[in-house]
Amino acid sequence: MSTNNNNHRAPVSQKPLKVPKPQDTTTIGSMISIEINEKKFSVPFGTTILEACRDNQIYVPSLCHHEDLCIAGVCRICVVEVEGMKTLQASCAFPITQQIKVKTTSERVRRARRHIIDLMLSEHYGECYSCVRNKNCELQNLAGEYGVDGFTFGHPEKPVFEIDRSSYSVMRDMNKCVLCRRCVRTCIDIQEVGVLEAVERGDKTKISTFFDRPLNDVICINCGQCINRCPTGALFTNDPSDEIWAAIDDPKKHVVIQTAPSPRAAIGEEFGMPAGKSYTRELNTALRRIGFDKVFDTNYSADLTIMEEGTELLLRLKKKLVDKDDSVKLPQFTSCSPGWVKFIEHFYPEYLDYLSTAKSPQQMFGAITKTFYAQESGVNPEDIVTVAVMPCSAKKFECNRPEMTDSGFKDVDYGLTTRELAKMIKEAGLHLPELPKSDFDDPFGEASGAGLIFGATGGVMEAALRTAYELVTGREVPFENLRIEACRGFEGIKQASVKLENVKTEWKFLEGVDFKFVVAHGTANARKVMEMLKAGELNDVHFIEIMACPGGCIGGGGQPIPTSPEIRKLRAKAIYEEEESLPIRKSHENPHIAYIYEKFLTDGPCGHISHKLLHTHYTKRGDFIV
Amino acid sequence: MLVYEKNSLAEEIEELVKTYGNERPSLLPILEAIQSKYNYISDFAQQEIAQHLAIHPVEVYSVISFYSFLHAEPKGRNIVRLCQTISCDLAGKSKVAEAIQKELGIRFGETTRDRRITLEYTNCLGMCDCGPAMIVNDAVYTHLDPQRAIKILSEIK
Amino acid sequence: MEKAKRNGLVLFTDYQQGSAVKKAVTLTRDDILFELREAKLKGRGGAGFPTSTKWMLTAAAIADKKYIVCNADEGEPGTFKDRVLLLEYPELVFEGMVIAGYTIGAEYGFVYLRGEYNYMLKSLNDYLAMMRKENLLGKDIAGKKGFNFDIEIKLGAGAYVCGEETALIESLEGNRGEPRNRPPYPVNRGYLGYPTIVNNVETLASVPHIINKGGEWYCTNGTDKSTGSKLFSVSGDCEKPGVYELPWGTTINELLDLVGAKDTKAVQVGGASGVCLNQEQFGRKLAYEDAGTGGSIMIFNSKRSMIKVLKNFMEFFVEESCGQCTPCRIGNRKLLEGVEMIEKGTFTFGYINSLKELAKTMQIASKCGLGQSSPNSFLSILENFDDEIFHSKGNGVSHVN
């Protein structure tokens, strides 16, 4: 995509034609009194009817509405009566700018809602009990709430569309689509990838890719954000759990699983627990009971990533500043988010040299499991099956990249999402929250808190700073309790710097350097960062962390549904809290990391062995759709 | 598509962008210009246009598929659209439709083998007082009967 | 019919090119709004919103830019009055836009011309060029210092829904023609977010005559609530189809006599989105307060099958719905399927009643006027031709009773 303007936009009809709310609600005219179901309330000017209802504990159903997305007003489920208006109004799209009287459950409203649900069901093919979203489907819930117990206007007996199974990550079954367009708004607005749009019109309208090509053939980055916002089972991940069960059932196979921090901070939600608590050690027990031979901590390889990526950065700085080598590209970008990697491969292929060559923690884990671990434990690597529990759908694509076979085998056999793992646990007859706690297995069972916080946006940067700063200066980062607040929080793009002073002699060239870094999450923000880089605004920045998903991995496309701004905050809180309780909080202090460099990666970070196993290269994909 | 054809199309699109501007409101005029010259807008053209306007190719595709007069698939050299709406229907559209289908040997929605004519139905042309009516490319023909319609079609190249 | 043979009350009368613009620039904004209010001019597209209110709201909105849009996306089946106005009376339409620009302080106007009318494009552009030469467009129009206004014609590309004003604006912005949520209304947030007037061709064409002769004169025709004249596009089973200018309040019977309609069974007032009346209702008046219409009158004689007529209408809406909101996208398909069941005799009365209920939901729950009005013919034809459709043989309708 060219750059003559940066105004990547969603269809205006779906933009929030919002009335700005007053900043200060104490000024005259900033609050407005309204009447809902004959009760009086006072709300800020410009509040939508839906917000006003929900803020006051009045339930109004919705479907196309999503807290992360702009207003669409297309499903019409949330219609209400506004006194004086002939037609019903979509409450999600109606800003209150004058005194109004609203009825949310009148006879006309109830009948309209039931009709709308009935109409949706008349085009929604499939049976609930054989659907991946059974018991977590917004359409199913609505049908239940409104007593839609017969198919008044019919129900499809045959599927109309073939399921698109072309992608390693994201599957599309348009037979279940209700055209709420959340995926469109996600893909265009939040991610600015632009794979999905509504095409055709009238009763032929459907969601489609460019020329209806399979997802694998277009510019999808596999982030799965669309899946996370789909109200039905029209979008879902490519689930490998049957293959994993088969491996577990095969006595010859040695099945090893690693769990990433974000799934641990969210999986409780799949078992009806409130968001905001990690079930790390309960999960270890569950995985053993399912039959996994070893349960490892992805944070371990996150520590490894920090060592490799941090060293790579310092080497780049040295080459640039000392050797005056202009072919070295700075700022260095993180490469652990596979959605982001594919994004830059598609949209900014000319900037691939800026990307760290370090593999993601998942892939490092696979590579060392089938080499170092196999060697240490005496298991034939051919018999090892590696499974990665990830919050992410793009991880499935990542582990299937042809270059990810440096161990001599497929480094990671399966990427499993949080949702899919929860299903496996349920299938094993386990209720996760009630399980006893247990620890990870050695040798990859101990990890630092730095690896843990990878899960939230800014986490990689914070972890890297803790290590790099200490390597260079010999001192801890100068922040209370190691909390680098500048890296935390959900602002789209964060910029900050740390001054390097009194450095160790071998890093003399960094004396007095103001180490500048940028953190961004969501690929819409990534695009902004890339445009800033193109415009030369980031020339003095050293390191940039980008995560493809809003909020970072905790908001990943494989995480429990729903995900909302509030839920993302709670998951991040769970991660930061767990982190502070850990004895080791810096990657380089992890004794197992020291051990592997001593025993296996003997020429150190970014040495020959690690280059072969732990680093990768990228593909200039471009955005032309053939 | 051959490379030189692509290049000339790319140049043409660049010219159109110069004429109409590279903002989103220019999209329809640009698409209409390409449509009227080539009778369809290829996937290559769509991506070129998207590039210039800094929008996603799927958005261009989406807009094209919305409007009846824009096509993403190749059509014949001439597009014939017969009005199917009520007044033309009352005035004998069906007979005209049958006659031209028989004459051309194709059905509505299809293109003749020599790619001379693509036959389509369209909704109300605003010629309700002088139906049945059809448009051939941009020209309107009214008061059709089977003979007259066939004669008109036989004269286009 | 040729222009020379047309006769009428307002629009189809003599008009001196440029006279209204020249007069308007000597008046104040308030004077013009006053005359429009006196004239009680209402939107001629069918919805009947008071034009003076629309202009006043836009005039009052504070913004750096404002736009005038002439809605020439005449797509309602059976409507072709705008074709006649644009071909034969472009001066009225364009000058109406200039006056609107002067009144609200806009410098730019668009004519959104439906793609089907592409053949007019050249003559309209030639006319605009001529106006520029005559200083009726451009800078310091008609000698009024600082009053600049120009008009550009934008072509549609075959989408009925773009006649809906917010869909039209979306289309102008280069998007799918999908209606927006309201509020905010175009008078506050229209084209590119700026205050925008969207007026029907006929509404704008009425303005120059009101400026020249005054609002009070305008009210001498029509009824109290429907002032002035209306263009009716008459088609179907009659001897003299065409565009007629008649005073509001004319009864259907009077109109049928005028156009030489004999043996009339049904009259569809307001196009496919309007209502279908039977003989008992032919005494009704064509007026906003009675049988309101954007001007489409379609006449069906006793030989026509009403269920076939209805099927044609429903096929139209199934294709022309923009497809974004559930009631309209799926609802119209369900209504069409119901009509097909009636045609084949495979329906139950219970199901038809469910569809009638659904039709009422579509009228109130759809996002825009298309979905809100598309069930009108379904409801009115099933109601007014109940006997023919459900209780008699013939007309290709199988009999179930």
Side-chain angles (χ1 to χ4, degrees):
Chain A
M1 196 170 301
S2 82
T3 51
N4 49 9
N5 65 49
N6 293 331
N7 184 21
H8 298 281
R9 47 171 305 289
V12 169
S13 60
Q14 297 178 3
K15 278 274 174 191
L17 290 169
K18 260 190 182 166
V19 177
K21 285 186 200 165
Q23 305 243 307
D24 174 8
T25 50
T26 57
T27 56
I28 294 170
S30 65
M31 296 294 280
I32 237 166
S33 68
I34 58 160
E35 209 180 285
I36 306 173
N37 300 342
E38 292 173 358
K39 271 198 196 129
K40 284 208 162 62
F41 300 97
S42 179
V43 297
F45 184 90
T47 307
T48 64
I49 295 177
L50 185 69
E51 289 168 331
C53 289
R54 292 192 173 169
D55 290 348
N56 292 293
Q57 287 74 49
I58 296 163
Y59 174 71
V60 172
S62 64
L63 189 74
C64 69
H65 177 78
H66 191 284
E67 280 168 294
D68 282 333
L69 303 172
C70 66
I71 291 162
V74 297
C75 76
R76 316 304 287 174
I77 275 290
C78 71
V79 287
V80 295
E81 284 205 53
V82 176
E83 196 178 86
M85 301 189 86
K86 264 199 315 212
T87 56
L88 304 178
Q89 302 298 314
S91 59
C92 69
F94 195 103
I96 302 166
T97 56
Q98 54 186 339
Q99 296 195 355
I100 50 170
K101 290 183 181 174
V102 176
K103 287 206 171 96
T104 65
T105 53
S106 69
E107 192 263 341
R108 292 202 316 162
V109 168
R110 288 192 328 267
R111 195 179 50 204
R113 286 183 190 156
R114 189 182 282 209
H115 275 142
I116 289 164
I117 297 163
D118 253 329
L119 287 177
M120 284 179 178
L121 293 176
S122 79
E123 294 209 328
H124 179 82
Y125 171 77
E127 301 294 348
C128 291
Y129 47 78
S130 63
C131 178
V132 60
R133 292 291 294 275
N134 190 16
K135 292 162 87 182
N136 186 17
C137 167
E138 295 179 40
L139 184 61
Q140 191 183 38
N141 290 348
L142 285 170
E145 282 164 23
Y146 283 85
V148 181
D149 45 13
F151 296 119
T152 314
F153 303 115
H155 190 57
E157 283 161 15
K158 276 187 288 192
V160 180
F161 303 102
E162 209 176 301
I163 300 176
D164 178 0
R165 299 180 187 275
S166 65
S167 160
Y168 284 116
S169 300
V170 182
M171 311 279 223
R172 293 174 69 231
D173 179 1
M174 288 301 98
N175 298 299
K176 290 178 179 165
C177 176
V178 292
L179 284 160
C180 68
R181 303 196 186 187
R182 284 192 195 169
C183 56
V184 173
R185 284 174 281 156
T186 302
C187 198
I188 294 184
D189 280 356
I190 295 199
Q191 296 298 68
E192 287 193 8
V193 173
V195 165
L196 300 172
E197 238 300 17
V199 301
E200 305 283 341
R201 68 161 191 244
D203 71 335
K204 293 199 183 69
T205 312
K206 60 176 181 180
I207 306 300
S208 170
T209 59
F210 186 62
F211 276 82
D212 222 352
R213 302 252 158 91
L215 263 190
N216 200 36
D217 296 355
V218 295
I219 46 168
C220 175
I221 63 165
N222 303 310
C223 68
Q225 287 298 311
C226 53
I227 302 176
N228 222 296
R229 288 179 186 75
C230 180
T232 71
L235 289 158
F236 53 100
T237 44
N238 189 351
D239 183 353
S241 55
D242 283 346
E243 284 106 308
I244 295 170
W245 279 117
I248 289 170
D249 293 340
D250 184 343
K252 260 183 64 191
K253 296 287 181 200
H254 183 77
V255 190
V256 168
I257 190 163
Q258 47 161 320
T259 67
S262 296
R264 307 185 318 222
I267 196 164
E269 297 163 35
E270 289 284 333
F271 293 87
M273 307 309 286
K277 186 173 183 297
S278 285
Y279 287 87
T280 310
R281 296 173 71 222
E282 289 86 344
L283 193 58
N284 291 342
T285 309
L287 294 171
R288 286 199 185 88
R289 291 198 187 171
I290 285 176
F292 287 100
D293 295 299
K294 291 286 172 186
V295 182
F296 293 141
D297 189 348
T298 304
N299 299 350
Y300 169 84
S301 52
D303 284 338
L304 205 51
T305 302
I306 289 298
M307 297 306 292
E308 294 293 329
E309 204 168 358
T311 307
E312 182 188 354
L313 175 64
L314 291 171
L315 289 174
R316 283 193 195 213
L317 284 167
K318 182 164 180 289
K319 277 188 194 152
K320 187 104 176 182
L321 297 174
V322 180
D323 309 341
K324 308 284 176 202
D325 180 352
D326 279 340
S327 68
V328 171
K329 301 290 191 241
L330 281 171
Q332 176 179 307
F333 282 86
T334 59
S335 59
C336 33
S337 166
W340 151 242
V341 169
K342 192 146 185 271
F343 183 87
I344 189 173
E345 285 180 333
H346 278 307
F347 299 108
Y348 297 93
E350 66 278 25
Y351 285 87
L352 285 175
D353 290 344
Y354 289 74
L355 210 50
S356 163
T357 57
K359 285 182 185 172
S360 69
Q362 163 177 296
Q363 292 308 128
M364 286 196 181
F365 215 117
I368 56 167
T369 302
K370 291 198 177 176
T371 53
F372 177 57
Y373 170 74
Q375 194 182 305
E376 292 252 307
S377 61
V379 182
N380 182 354
E382 221 167 283
D383 293 332
I384 299 179
V385 175
T386 43
V387 181
V389 179
M390 291 287 150
C392 182
S393 49
K395 287 284 173 193
K396 294 169 188 287
F397 175 85
E398 186 185 34
C399 76
N400 282 299
R401 279 176 178 258
E403 61 269 26
M404 294 296 181
T405 52
D406 292 326
S407 63
F409 305 91
K410 192 178 170 196
D411 293 344
V412 173
D413 291 290
Y414 304 109
L416 190 67
T417 64
T418 314
R419 294 190 297 269
E420 291 157 355
L421 176 61
K423 201 193 71 188
M424 284 184 77
I425 295 172
K426 287 175 189 168
E427 202 170 345
L430 303 170
H431 187 60
L432 182 73
E434 289 166 0
L435 294 180
K437 297 177 183 183
S438 62
D439 290 329
F440 287 103
D441 289 311
D442 279 337
F444 308 135
E446 193 153 352
S448 79
L452 180 68
I453 57 173
F454 264 51
T457 167
V460 178
M461 184 61 69
E462 184 165 347
L465 283 174
R466 288 182 189 170
T467 290
Y469 188 89
E470 199 162 323
L471 272 179
V472 172
T473 64
R475 302 183 306 276
E476 260 189 5
V477 281
F479 299 99
E480 193 204 332
N481 207 8
L482 299 177
R483 285 183 210 134
I484 308 179
E485 292 294 344
C487 295
R488 300 189 181 188
F490 292 99
E491 206 185 313
I493 299 173
K494 292 172 288 221
Q495 279 197 59
S497 63
V498 188
K499 193 107 177 165
L500 301 175
E501 281 167 324
N502 302 323
V503 301
K504 288 171 148 180
T505 36
E506 62 264 43
W507 302 108
K508 214 170 54 203
F509 65 96
L510 291 173
E511 180 63 39
V513 166
D514 200 19
F515 183 84
K516 288 196 172 163
F517 57 90
V518 170
V519 172
H521 58 117
T523 44
N525 290 319
R527 199 184 272 282
K528 283 193 195 104
V529 169
M530 291 312 292
E531 293 301 327
M532 284 158 77
L533 181 69
K534 268 189 162 176
E537 292 165 27
L538 302 177
N539 288 345
D540 56 346
V541 172
H542 302 99
F543 197 26
I544 299 181
E545 178 205 300
I546 292 187
M547 292 292 155
C549 294
C553 304
I554 44 147
Q559 289 284 63
I561 299 168
T563 297
S564 68
E566 185 60 29
I567 291 171
R568 284 194 292 269
K569 259 187 218 156
L570 290 167
R571 290 178 191 158
K573 195 178 119 250
I575 281 184
Y576 285 119
E577 276 174 11
E578 190 182 348
E579 200 261 331
E580 298 211 351
S581 70
L582 293 178
I584 304 170
R585 296 177 58 205
K586 294 174 235 160
S587 298
H588 57 281
E589 289 179 357
N590 182 346
H592 291 262
I593 290 291
Y595 181 73
I596 196 174
Y597 281 112
E598 188 193 315
K599 287 280 175 188
F600 185 63
L601 306 168
T602 44
D603 49 359
C606 293
H608 280 294
I609 306 170
S610 75
H611 248 289
K612 180 176 178 301
L613 286 177
L614 307 183
H615 288 257
T616 187
H617 58 273
Y618 305 104
T619 311
K620 286 191 177 180
R621 293 176 198 272
D623 60 0
F624 188 79
I625 302 164
V626 185
Chain B
M1 204 184 288
L2 298 170
V3 174
Y4 74 88
E5 282 176 325
K6 272 191 180 175
N7 287 342
S8 76
L9 185 55
E11 274 168 28
E12 240 176 292
I13 289 168
E14 210 177 316
E15 279 306 308
L16 287 168
V17 171
K18 268 185 209 153
T19 312
Y20 294 108
N22 64 359
E23 299 292 319
R24 179 88 190 223
S26 323
L27 181 58
L28 269 185
I30 293 170
L31 293 177
E32 282 161 358
I34 299 288
Q35 169 72 39
S36 87
K37 178 156 179 200
Y38 297 95
N39 273 352
Y40 88 112
I41 305 149
S42 66
D43 60 344
F44 173 78
Q46 293 185 27
Q47 295 192 66
E48 279 293 304
I49 294 166
Q51 179 98 24
H52 283 290
L53 268 52
I55 56 178
H56 306 288
V58 73
E59 292 181 271
V60 178
Y61 179 62
S62 161
V63 165
I64 290 170
S65 68
F66 185 88
Y67 294 96
S68 310
F69 289 4
L70 302 177
H71 298 289
E73 304 294 341
K75 297 282 161 182
R77 293 193 297 281
N78 302 282
I79 301 182
V80 173
R81 298 185 174 96
L82 180 69
C83 175
Q84 64 178 351
T85 309
I86 189 76
S87 297
C88 287
D89 191 54
L90 299 179
K93 156 224 102 182
S94 302
K95 281 198 181 121
V96 175
E98 269 167 42
I100 50 184
Q101 288 186 103
K102 185 160 168 265
E103 181 67 23
L104 297 176
I106 53 169
R107 290 166 179 276
F108 281 84
E110 296 176 350
T111 301
T112 54
R113 210 185 267 174
D114 58 4
R115 307 211 69 76
R116 190 170 68 94
I117 289 175
T118 296
L119 199 54
E120 285 178 359
Y121 275 123
T122 184
N123 284 324
C124 190
L125 286 174
M127 292 292 159
C128 320
D129 52 340
C130 37
M134 69 178 178
I135 41 179
V136 178
N137 303 322
D138 289 334
V140 182
Y141 298 90
T142 56
H143 295 298
L144 295 176
D145 55 43
Q147 291 82 353
R148 196 168 119 75
I150 288 169
K151 185 159 180 294
I152 292 162
L153 295 188
S154 71
E155 282 162 9
I156 60 178
K157 283 181 184 153
Chain C
M1 210 181 319
E2 287 155 35
K3 185 173 176 180
K5 290 187 194 149
R6 294 195 191 282
N7 56 57
L9 306 153
V10 180
L11 297 170
F12 293 165
T13 57
D14 289 338
Y15 175 74
Q16 172 68 45
Q17 186 215 323
S19 57
V21 169
K22 283 170 194 155
K23 182 172 177 195
V25 297
T26 66
L27 304 173
T28 67
R29 217 179 231 209
D30 288 338
D31 292 338
I32 294 171
L33 289 171
F34 177 82
E35 289 303 334
L36 283 180
R37 200 164 52 241
E38 284 291 288
K40 296 191 223 169
L41 180 63
K42 290 183 184 174
R44 293 301 195 235
F49 191 80
T51 307
S52 64
T53 310
K54 200 182 252 186
W55 286 28
M56 208 172 59
L57 289 170
T58 321
I62 298 160
D64 339 331
K65 281 188 203 167
K66 293 175 188 179
Y67 292 96
I68 311 287
V69 177
C70 169
N71 183 348
D73 192 58
E74 178 175 59
E76 187 63 50
T79 313
F80 42 93
K81 63 185 178 64
D82 296 346
R83 181 192 88 207
V84 169
L85 282 173
L86 290 165
L87 280 174
E88 299 175 14
Y89 301 87
E91 64 277 13
L92 293 179
V93 183
F94 293 149
E95 288 181 36
M97 290 176 74
V98 176
I99 294 164
Y102 176 74
T103 311
I104 68 156
E107 294 199 343
Y108 218 72
F110 295 108
V111 176
Y112 187 87
L113 187 69
R114 66 190 307 229
E116 290 84 343
Y117 288 174
N118 194 0
Y119 66 92
M120 300 180 188
L121 187 63
K122 194 182 173 299
S123 72
L124 292 176
N125 273 325
D126 289 349
Y127 196 88
L128 289 175
M130 196 271 284
M131 282 178 75
R132 280 180 205 112
K133 259 189 213 152
E134 305 270 322
N135 191 225
L136 293 170
L137 281 178
K139 292 219 155 33
D140 301 331
I141 290 172
K144 179 80 176 176
K145 275 267 170 281
F147 172 43
N148 309 327
F149 188 78
D150 213 327
I151 295 174
E152 187 186 343
I153 300 174
K154 292 266 199 174
L155 265 187
Y160 164 77
V161 68
C162 290
E164 200 279 346
E165 60 177 359
T166 59
L168 188 155
I169 291 171
E170 282 291 304
S171 181
L172 278 179
E173 290 184 4
N175 302 322
R176 295 161 65 81
E178 293 179 345
R180 295 178 176 178
N181 291 306
R182 275 169 299 190
Y185 297 92
V187 290
N188 294 317
R189 302 265 290 272
Y191 180 65
L192 301 178
Y194 295 105
T196 303
I197 287 181
V198 183
N199 273 150
N200 182 267
V201 171
E202 187 184 348
T203 315
L204 289 164
S206 307
V207 170
H209 285 288
I210 293 172
I211 295 300
N212 277 353
K213 298 176 195 155
E216 206 176 316
W217 163 84
Y218 190 76
C219 293
T220 53
N221 283 308
T223 71
D224 186 37
K225 285 190 176 134
S226 311
T227 55
S229 68
K230 177 77 189 99
L231 299 187
F232 293 99
S233 313
V234 182
S235 65
D237 298 319
C238 66
E239 283 164 12
K240 293 175 281 180
V243 176
Y244 292 82
E245 182 176 20
L246 301 171
W248 280 115
T250 304
T251 66
I252 290 165
N253 270 324
E254 287 164 354
L255 185 134
L256 290 175
D257 283 346
L258 188 70
V259 302
K262 294 188 185 87
D263 188 26
T264 304
K265 173 168 77 178
V267 175
Q268 178 83 13
V269 179
S273 66
V275 291
C276 195
L277 306 179
N278 62 21
Q279 284 168 346
E280 286 164 32
Q281 296 157 311
F282 289 174
R284 284 179 65 177
K285 283 180 181 157
L286 294 163
Y288 291 111
E289 64 272 25
D290 191 349
T293 169
S296 166
I297 302 288
M298 294 189 281
I299 301 167
F300 306 108
N301 68 25
S302 65
K303 294 187 197 70
R304 304 295 182 180
S305 155
M306 292 318 288
I307 200 73
K308 291 228 160 89
V309 169
L310 178 55
K311 188 176 165 193
N312 188 291
F313 288 155
M314 292 324 299
E315 284 169 343
F316 175 82
F317 288 121
V318 165
E319 274 183 28
E320 295 292 348
S321 160
C322 83
Q324 66 170 330
C325 82
T326 318
C328 180
R329 181 184 68 245
I330 314 178
N332 280 309
R333 154 70 51 193
K334 293 296 154 194
L335 298 189
L336 173 61
E337 284 168 9
V339 173
E340 287 166 347
M341 285 177 195
I342 296 172
E343 211 183 10
K344 288 188 207 134
T346 56
F347 68 99
T348 63
F349 284 100
Y351 187 62
I352 298 302
N353 282 336
S354 301
L355 288 179
K356 285 182 185 170
E357 290 294 309
L358 172 65
K360 285 176 197 153
T361 287
M362 289 166 66
Q363 288 178 324
I364 56 172
S366 296
K367 185 165 180 175
C368 80
L370 192 157
Q372 288 162 9
S373 59
S374 63
N376 290 350
S377 22
F378 182 87
L379 288 169
S380 60
I381 288 179
L382 292 193
E383 159 123 26
N384 291 336
F385 300 91
D386 177 69
D387 267 354
E388 171 188 324
I389 291 170
F390 295 111
H391 303 291
S392 71
K393 297 202 176 200
N395 290 327
V397 182
S398 16
H399 176 61
V400 178
N401 193 359

